[in-house]
Amino acid sequence: MSEGYVDETALVGAESNYYDRALDAAIALAIVSFLLGLLTLVTVVSLDTSGAALSAVFLRLLALGVGAIGAVGIASALNVVPITSRRVRGIGLGLLVDLVGLAALAVLLDVTVATLLGIVLLLEAGIVGTAGLASWWGIVDTEPSATPGLLAGVAFGGVGLVIGAALGGSLFGGNTVAAAGPALVAGVGLAVLTIAPREDVGTALPVALLVGLLGLVVATGTIGLGWIWTPGPDIDGAFTGQVLVPLFVLLGSVVASWGAAKSRAGFGARGRQYGAYLTIYLNAVLMVAVMVSIVAFVTMKGVAYALHGFTVGAVSALVVLTPALVLALDFARRKAGTADWHAGARQFLRVAPLAALGSLAGLLAFVQVAGDALEVPFTYTVFVEGRQEKVLDTTFSITTDPTVGTLVVVFVGGFLLWYFLRKYGSLRGVGTHVERVAAVERWVGLAMGATVVVGLLLVFLGTAPFGLPVAALLGAPLVVVLSLAGLGLVVAALGALLVGNDAVADRGRDRAQMVRVGVFGGLGLLATAVFVQPVAAVNPTVGPVNVVPALATAGAVASLGVAALSGQAARSASVDVARVLRREGALGLAGAAGLLVVAAVHVAVTGSPFSVGPLTIGYVGTLSWPMTMQTYIPLGAEPGGILPAVVGTVWLVVGAGLFAVPLGVGAAIFLTEYAEQGRFTALVEVATNALWSTPSVVFGLFGAAFLIPRLGSKESIMAGMLVLGFMLLPLVLITSREAIKAVPDEYRDASAALGVSEWATIRSVVLPASLPGVITGVILGVGRIAGETAPLILVMSGTLNSTQALDVLGGFTFVGQPPFVYNDALLEATAALPTQVWAVIAAGVSGSPAMGWASALVLLVVVLTFYAVGIVARTYFRRKLNYE
């Protein structure tokens, strides 16, 4: 084996050999077959798939693999995410080769998925067996121990017992005594074959025999899709080939990966560690799959109804995927740990999210480039008159429509703008100060301020104040001048890096002021131009092209040029210069995102779509999700959606949080920092623990008996908010107290020593330090109250299938007497996802069961979204605290 592989930080060199590459491919093949086994087990891919359908499956898998490996490879080539582990690089190349080979086999051979998986297991067995024999004959340099060990022998002996018992039972018709003979022979024989020889032979031969036997059984169809075995007449159940074949594939893949990993690391202690870790990782994936099975069950029951008519464009999906790719890239850039033997595993875990998202991006790009929409036809069931089931046909579609909606661009671009501005920091005071550039900065600010003032005057006085056609005469020229000036500033920022005799790194450092003023000034002027457009009711065009979005897009390209030049120059610059260049690169990316948002806002305020080549920013995008974007249609053949229930659930959680979080955190501060610790605080602690343990139906009874009579004597969303708020309050109080107590007293003492008041210390020292713990409590509480059903039934009834969503924001009215603000919407009942799920599935009140399961799926998505927001907030504050 190549000695270079002992050092994880060594790059791939000329000493690499075919032995290493073959085992990398075997490990990659085991990973692929393991994942395919999981997919067939949950019937995402059917075992009897063949012909063109099989080719399509593996071609899409190849697109996923190319996207994943390509994203990581490009990041490594650009030194953004350097992959120094040779094992990771070898397995990545092996994955690509294996996927190409499997796609070719799927196209060339007339076989089913089951047969192909059997062939894969036979290949894995052959490679591992050959590797062990090559080590035994001394063809490769390895360091095997005297024996694989007792643990490996016991494991293989146990597997042999099971296989022997199954074989004996099949031969002797369920005779237990007769079946015991083959079981003992197989178990003892496999154990002896593992323990007795040297480690290389004791590993390779049992693995080859076991995996080869499993592969032979699957490939020949000995246990096929139609196979079924009933253990006995008294057992109500049977084993089927549909379940057993994926289990064989999973077992064979895990065993083969263990043997290949040991061989790959040269056996010995290093080989046992490598094999054990790889096996643990695969089993961890299996455990996660089991934990996700509950969610998968709900998904399988409700996904057909939930996704009926779902349509999205591939380009829109790629745009939505961009923030996730950026975050995954940032995660992958972190150091993978020390240069010990398992640094490769750490690097793999770092790049796994990037690879997964890259694979999805590759599939979406394949759909768009190929011009062939990805459509998944299926059916879903609804109830019609007389509660008769009716099956309707529908599809899940990823189309090639290149239109992206303004909301998508604004939200994605806004997030990227915020993200890169955080990375940017500041360039003030960096480089050579040029007074002329400073003057441009001042004049840009004055122009923006004056334009905003003029726009506000036009809003209040009208477009023709005092009968003067101000907007008609000045609107279009003002917009054009602002847009051209904005583009000019961004191009000047790019020119500052391009023009000059010295190196780009030196220009970037010396002209940082010009880059900063150019990008920020251009973004500000173009944003101001968009602000003026609806006010002055103008939309200047040159032929069929709208001026503002065209110039904003050109500015975005120039800003990307700033980012590219800065990033490239930073790779070879000194530490101090590289820091400046990285800030300029982040500024360029932020400017590009902001300018694309400007183009999208232009489309939103004018209603005029804007196209760049085949891509279009449209007023309405390509996303259509009837389940969550429509209300119920009472008399239609199509059932419509549950938008009112989604909106009602969100408002319930938001209202409960606004009620409970300030009260809980405030009470925790008082009890921890101000109140004397004694019987009173102990009593409050007991009471809050008891309140948290109170059944939810009791809270519902409290709301029905106490709150409803005082809130207009009718069921309302306000009563639901308060009931859920009372349920959330004790958990927020308990977790906040514990988080505040966990702040070291040294923080308080240091602040007091500086003469800071007690409240200022709490506000600026204690609360920021305890904020991650407080957010954790809120996350846990939201997970409970968002799915509560019993209290909502009592205080909001079981309102179902509403045809109108509750407009809470639009319901506020200001009055001249207390309480000065009034909202009729808060005193109305609304649908909620938990009550909808209960009423449809359990009570059978209205709607088909599929609608109930779909509502449960959407409820899971809503809850997980709240979790995600809370986790991101907690992570942000924790990092900020550690940084400070």
Side-chain angles (χ1 to χ4, degrees), residues 366-454:
F366 173 77
V367 170
Q368 188 65 36
V369 173
D372 186 14
L374 177 62
E375 294 185 349
V376 181
F378 58 95
T379 60
Y380 68 105
T381 304
V382 298
F383 277 180
V384 293
E385 295 181 4
R387 294 188 62 80
Q388 296 296 318
E389 290 187 351
K390 181 178 181 181
V391 178
L392 301 177
D393 295 323
T394 187
T395 57
F396 175 93
S397 304
I398 299 177
T399 69
T400 57
D401 188 343
T403 302
V404 184
T406 55
L407 284 178
V408 171
V409 178
V410 169
F411 280 114
V412 172
F415 171 82
L416 294 177
L417 175 62
W418 167 81
Y419 176 83
F420 288 120
L421 283 180
R422 286 185 62 242
K423 297 288 184 182
Y424 156 68
S426 176
L427 286 175
R428 286 192 176 275
V430 178
T432 305
H433 179 78
V434 179
E435 186 58 36
R436 184 175 298 176
V437 177
V440 171
E441 183 178 8
R442 290 192 295 270
W443 279 107
V444 167
L446 290 174
M448 292 171 57
T451 304
V452 170
V453 170
V454 171

Side-chain angles (χ1 to χ4, degrees), residues 79 504-505 563-575 577-583 585:
N79 204 33
V504 176
L565 286 174
S566 301
Q568 182 65 29
R571 297 181 60 184
S572 57
S574 62
V575 176
V577 176
R579 185 181 298 112
V580 174
L581 292 172
R582 282 194 292 269
R583 291 181 180 180

Side-chain angles (χ1 to χ4, degrees), residues 292-661:
V292 173
S293 61
I294 298 176
V295 177
F297 176 76
V298 175
T299 302
M300 291 174 64
K301 297 282 286 185
V303 69
Y305 192 100
L307 296 182
H308 71 270
F310 185 97
T311 303
V312 65
V315 176
S316 296
L318 279 170
V319 173
V320 173
L321 198 63
T322 303
L325 282 169
V326 171
L327 294 176
L329 185 63
D330 187 44
F331 177 74
R333 292 180 61 185
R334 301 176 193 172
K335 293 182 179 179
T338 57
D340 54 12
W341 72 271
H342 60 279
R346 294 186 179 183
Q347 288 186 6
F348 172 77
L349 293 178
R350 293 293 184 191
V351 303
L354 178 62
L357 293 171
S359 65
L360 181 57
L363 179 63
L364 294 172
F366 173 77
V367 170
Q368 188 65 36
V369 173
D372 186 14
L374 177 62
E375 294 185 349
V376 181
F378 58 95
T379 60
Y380 68 105
T381 304
V382 298
F383 277 180
V384 293
E385 295 181 4
R387 294 188 62 80
Q388 296 296 318
E389 290 187 351
K390 181 178 181 181
V391 178
L392 301 177
D393 295 323
T394 187
T395 57
F396 175 93
S397 304
I398 299 177
T399 69
T400 57
D401 188 343
T403 302
V404 184
T406 55
L407 284 178
V408 171
V409 178
V410 169
F411 280 114
V412 172
F415 171 82
L416 294 177
L417 175 62
W418 167 81
Y419 176 83
F420 288 120
L421 283 180
R422 286 185 62 242
K423 297 288 184 182
Y424 156 68
S426 176
L427 286 175
R428 286 192 176 275
V430 178
T432 305
H433 179 78
V434 179
E435 186 58 36
R436 184 175 298 176
V437 177
V440 171
E441 183 178 8
R442 290 192 295 270
W443 279 107
V444 167
L446 290 174
M448 292 171 57
T451 304
V452 170
V453 170
V454 171
L456 293 176
L457 289 176
L458 292 177
V459 170
F460 289 106
L461 300 179
T463 57
F466 311 110
L468 300 175
V470 176
L473 294 176
L474 299 180
L478 181 60
V479 169
V480 172
V481 170
L482 289 172
S483 302
L484 288 172
L487 176 61
L489 286 175
V490 181
V491 172
L494 178 61
L497 298 178
L498 282 174
V499 179
N501 297 324
D502 48 350
V504 176
D506 295 332
R507 294 198 293 268
R509 177 196 57 196
D510 296 337
R511 302 175 183 178
Q513 180 192 20
M514 187 178 298
V515 174
R516 176 178 61 82
V517 173
V519 175
F520 277 131
L523 178 60
L525 289 176
L526 279 160
T528 307
V530 172
F531 168 76
V532 171
Q533 280 190 278
V535 174
V538 295
N539 183 18
T541 60
V542 177
V545 179
N546 294 325
V547 172
V548 175
L551 296 180
T553 304
V557 173
S559 192
L560 283 176
V562 171
L565 286 174
S566 301
Q568 182 65 29
R571 297 181 60 184
S572 57
S574 62
V575 176
D576 293 337
V577 176
R579 185 181 298 112
V580 174
L581 292 172
R582 282 194 292 269
R583 291 181 180 180
E584 290 179 350
L587 176 60
L589 293 173
L595 288 167
L596 289 178
V597 170
V598 167
V601 172
H602 162 85
V603 174
V605 299
T606 62
S608 301
F610 173 70
S611 298
V612 180
L615 305 179
T616 300
I617 300 177
Y619 187 77
V620 178
T622 57
L623 175 62
S624 176
W625 190 2
M627 177 70 183
T628 60
M629 299 172 67
Q630 293 181 3
T631 59
Y632 183 64
I633 304 174
L635 301 178
E638 291 289 340
I642 56 169
L643 177 63
V646 176
V647 174
T649 301
V650 172
W651 278 119
L652 283 169
V653 173
V654 171
L658 292 177
F659 170 76
V661 173

Side-chain angles (χ1 to χ4, degrees), residues 85-407:
S85 171
R86 297 183 66 184
R87 289 184 183 133
V88 172
R89 298 174 70 163
I91 292 174
L93 182 60
L95 282 172
L96 190 59
V97 172
D98 292 338
L99 288 172
V100 172
L102 289 174
L105 288 176
V107 172
L108 297 175
L109 300 181
D110 185 18
V111 294
T112 62
V113 169
T115 305
L116 192 58
L117 288 175
I119 295 173
V120 169
L121 291 180
L122 290 173
L123 288 173
E124 294 170 5
I127 295 175
V128 175
T130 303
L133 294 176
S135 172
W136 186 51
W137 289 331
I139 298 176
V140 292
D141 183 19
T142 58
E143 299 177 353
S145 301
T147 176
L150 182 60
L151 181 60
V154 171
F156 275 104
V159 175
L161 281 172
V162 174
I163 294 176
L167 180 62
S170 300
L171 292 176
F172 300 106
N175 189 320
T176 305
V177 177
L184 288 175
V185 171
V188 174
L190 207 55
V192 171
L193 184 62
T194 304
I195 298 173
R198 201 173 69 171
E199 185 182 16
D200 45 11
V201 177
T203 297
L205 291 185
V207 170
L209 284 175
L210 177 59
V211 178
L213 177 62
L214 294 174
L216 191 63
V217 169
V218 174
T220 58
T222 305
I223 295 181
L225 299 183
W227 182 87
I228 186 170
W229 174 55
T230 303
D234 298 330
I235 299 178
D236 186 15
F239 294 96
T240 64
Q242 184 66 46
V243 174
L244 207 57
V245 169
L247 291 180
F248 279 5
V249 174
L250 291 174
L251 176 61
S253 301
V254 171
V255 174
S257 67
W258 174 78
K262 286 188 68 176
S263 304
R264 174 65 178 76
F267 304 101
R270 187 181 298 274
R272 286 191 293 272
Q273 287 177 330
Y274 190 20
Y277 267 79
L278 186 59
T279 305
I280 289 171
Y281 291 149
L282 291 180
N283 280 280
V285 172
L286 182 60
M287 286 187 289
V288 170
V290 171
M291 289 188 293
V292 173
S293 61
I294 298 176
V295 177
F297 176 76
V298 175
T299 302
M300 291 174 64
K301 297 282 286 185
V303 69
Y305 192 100
L307 296 182
H308 71 270
F310 185 97
T311 303
V312 65
V315 176
S316 296
L318 279 170
V319 173
V320 173
L321 198 63
T322 303
L325 282 169
V326 171
L327 294 176
L329 185 63
D330 187 44
F331 177 74
R333 292 180 61 185
R334 301 176 193 172
K335 293 182 179 179
T338 57
D340 54 12
W341 72 271
H342 60 279
R346 294 186 179 183
Q347 288 186 6
F348 172 77
L349 293 178
R350 293 293 184 191
V351 303
L354 178 62
L357 293 171
S359 65
L360 181 57
L363 179 63
L364 294 172
F366 173 77
V367 170
Q368 188 65 36
V369 173
D372 186 14
L374 177 62
E375 294 185 349
V376 181
F378 58 95
T379 60
Y380 68 105
T381 304
V382 298
F383 277 180
V384 293
E385 295 181 4
R387 294 188 62 80
Q388 296 296 318
E389 290 187 351
K390 181 178 181 181
V391 178
L392 301 177
D393 295 323
T394 187
T395 57
F396 175 93
S397 304
I398 299 177
T399 69
T400 57
D401 188 343
T403 302
V404 184
T406 55
L407 284 178

